[in-house]
Amino acid sequence: MNFELSEEYQDLVDTVREFADEVVAPVSAKHDAEHSFPYEVVKQMGDMGLFGLPFPEEYGGMGGDYFALCLALEQLARVDQSVAITLEAGVSLGAMPVYRFGTEEQKQQWLPSLASGAALGGFGLTESEAGSDASGTKTTARLEESADGQGGSEWVINGTKEFITNSGTDITSLVTVTAVTGTSERPDGTVKKEISTILVPSDTPGFTAEKAYNKVGWNASDTHPLTLKDVRVPEANLLGTRGRGYANFLQILDEGRIAIAALATGAAQGCVEQSIRYAGERMAFGSTIGAYQSIQFKIARMQVRAHTARLAYYDAAARMLAGKPFKTQASIAKLVAGEAAMDNARDATQIFGGYGFINEFVVSRHYRDSKILEIGEGTTEVQLMLIARELGL
């Protein structure tokens, strides 16, 4: 068993770390304060090939793997979680469903632009009454004869979605939408929903990205509610097998939890690095605060959390790449890393004192940003439920 990174992985880490420190960090406070999307940063990430890391070269990717994506996310999240989640959602929620479940024609049509970072995709799952319980989906899609009179059928989609990342940028090209495409009656008389996933280009009439949310954190990340009113797309825009939309999304979510764990690990490590720097500079009572054992122990615990989170997502990613079951390990990694990020952000803010409460400082942004890591892509409670279920409880 060896946890040391290969030369190729280490080169990627070093490259992304340098990019994060020299390109991302200097503009992070500005974009956070303005709630503006960092188009210039995203373009450079695309030019570096970060959006194409886990995809084959035949679809415009870099021919890497999911672990490579996770390593990149960790380095970016040290300095800016908004940029990191833009990459994570663009790949694992925007492009990955097309790669995993799309037809060859769908892959050729959508993946090259998504893998290059020239376009972004979103995944429209969450609704006002369908979050952790995604089976509560109310958005509907029904097949009708094509409106152009040229024959064939179209999906007519109606509904609303909430909290959809990358759904309203100038470069958003599509959102994959979950919708009820039929119902059936169970033996006990209850109704079972047939949930499917459908590709909706963002310029389709009736598709509206509503006003962006005013969020607590991730202020430079693009997040909108969506309205779909009589949205018509070709029948061929069905993604995967009809009725398998919910099951397919759960698979995507299992993978995404590893990526979110990597992002959270980066946030936790960023808090450690900022605290070490500040503790070596800040003077109090005739000495740097890093000379006091109370601060030393606080930072030591922070490092323990970051290290543990990293081992957890490394393990989950290794199992995934080896083709072994990884669902439980992904939940463990997501839970451990999310809590590490939140706990480290709290401790780092305490170490920084009053400066930790000023938005220009990285630790203050981590304090606001990290809470969503215990909520998004499966709450802490959902992870505990999944882990307990695996234990037979």
Side-chain angles (χ1 to χ4, degrees):
M1 185 176 295
N2 182 7
F3 290 96
E4 186 174 350
L5 296 178
S6 67
E7 182 178 354
E8 183 178 6
Y9 283 140
Q10 189 61 55
D11 286 345
L12 173 64
V13 167
D14 294 341
T15 298
V16 179
R17 183 182 183 87
E18 181 179 0
F19 173 77
D21 290 340
E22 296 184 2
V23 177
V24 180
V27 299
S28 292
K30 173 180 179 293
H31 283 297
D32 178 79
E34 296 176 353
H35 291 220
S36 55
F37 189 76
Y39 286 102
E40 76 284 5
V41 172
V42 171
K43 183 182 185 306
Q44 292 182 69
M45 290 163 58
D47 293 341
M48 292 171 65
L50 299 188
F51 285 92
L53 278 173
F55 302 117
E57 294 179 9
E58 63 185 290
Y59 300 121
M62 298 295 289
D65 56 32
Y66 209 86
F67 184 54
L69 170 66
C70 290
L71 293 174
L73 290 170
E74 180 183 345
Q75 293 308 312
L76 291 170
R78 292 181 307 109
V79 302
D80 192 329
Q81 291 189 43
S82 289
V83 166
I85 195 58
T86 298
L87 175 62
E88 192 278 334
V91 176
S92 71
L93 297 180
M96 193 60 71
V98 179
Y99 176 62
R100 294 286 188 220
F101 310 116
T103 64
E104 185 61 26
E105 183 179 355
Q106 289 170 340
K107 293 176 185 178
Q108 293 291 348
Q109 178 181 0
W110 296 107
L111 284 181
S113 61
L114 296 173
S116 71
L120 291 174
F123 199 103
L125 172 79
T126 305
E127 299 181 8
S128 58
E129 296 182 16
S132 296
D133 180 15
S135 63
T137 298
K138 292 184 177 179
T139 296
T140 62
R142 66 182 187 276
L143 280 175
E144 290 188 0
E145 184 178 342
S146 296
D148 59 11
Q150 299 299 312
S153 299
E154 293 178 320
W155 293 106
V156 182
I157 308 171
N158 285 279
T160 59
K161 298 292 180 178
E162 303 284 346
F163 315 126
I164 310 305
T165 306
N166 292 343
S167 59
T169 73
D170 293 343
I171 58 174
T172 298
S173 62
L174 84 157
V175 175
T176 301
V177 172
T178 55
V180 179
T181 52
T183 58
S184 60
E185 186 174 331
R186 295 187 177 97
D188 62 2
T190 60
V191 175
K192 178 183 179 181
K193 294 179 179 179
E194 175 192 82
I195 298 178
S196 306
T197 46
I198 301 170
L199 299 172
V200 179
S202 59
D203 60 357
T204 305
F207 175 92
T208 304
E210 305 291 353
K211 182 181 178 181
Y213 294 102
N214 183 13
K215 297 172 291 188
V216 171
W218 284 4
N219 288 332
S221 165
D222 178 83
T223 319
H224 296 260
L226 304 178
T227 299
L228 299 101
K229 185 175 181 180
D230 291 330
V231 170
R232 304 182 76 98
V233 298
E235 183 179 5
N237 280 31
L238 179 72
L239 183 64
T241 304
R242 178 170 176 168
R244 291 288 299 172
Y246 183 49
N248 289 347
F249 175 75
L250 292 179
Q251 179 181 333
I252 292 295
L253 201 59
D254 287 338
E255 298 176 359
R257 284 171 182 151
I258 304 175
I260 288 293
L263 189 159
T265 299
Q269 190 65 54
C271 289
V272 173
E273 294 172 5
Q274 290 293 319
S275 297
I276 292 172
R277 180 190 60 77
Y278 187 73
E281 298 172 353
R282 178 72 161 90
M283 298 294 295
F285 305 105
S287 178
T288 61
I289 63 173
Y292 299 111
Q293 195 174 67
S294 60
I295 300 297
Q296 293 173 357
F297 281 9
K298 194 180 292 291
I299 296 176
R301 286 190 180 278
M302 291 167 64
Q303 179 62 16
V304 169
R305 296 184 193 119
H307 180 74
T308 303
R310 184 174 298 108
L311 293 179
Y313 95 72
Y314 275 26
D315 174 55
R319 290 173 178 271
M320 173 186 166
L321 294 181
K324 297 180 179 180
F326 65 92
K327 187 184 191 75
T328 301
Q329 287 73 23
S331 288
I332 291 171
K334 201 271 182 183
L335 186 153
V336 169
E339 292 186 345
M342 192 68 243
D343 290 345
N344 278 14
R346 183 188 62 246
D347 285 351
T349 300
Q350 189 71 20
I351 290 169
F352 270 68
Y355 290 111
F357 206 62
I358 304 301
N359 279 330
E360 292 92 321
F361 286 80
V362 178
V363 296
S364 75
R365 297 200 296 275
H366 278 311
Y367 189 77
R368 288 184 286 109
D369 290 345
S370 293
K371 182 56 194 174
I372 191 62
L373 295 170
E374 297 181 313
I375 300 172
E377 294 206 37
T379 63
T380 295
E381 290 75 17
V382 166
Q383 307 315 314
L384 290 169
M385 178 183 71
L386 293 173
I387 294 166
R389 184 181 299 165
E390 182 66 19
L391 294 172
L393 298 173

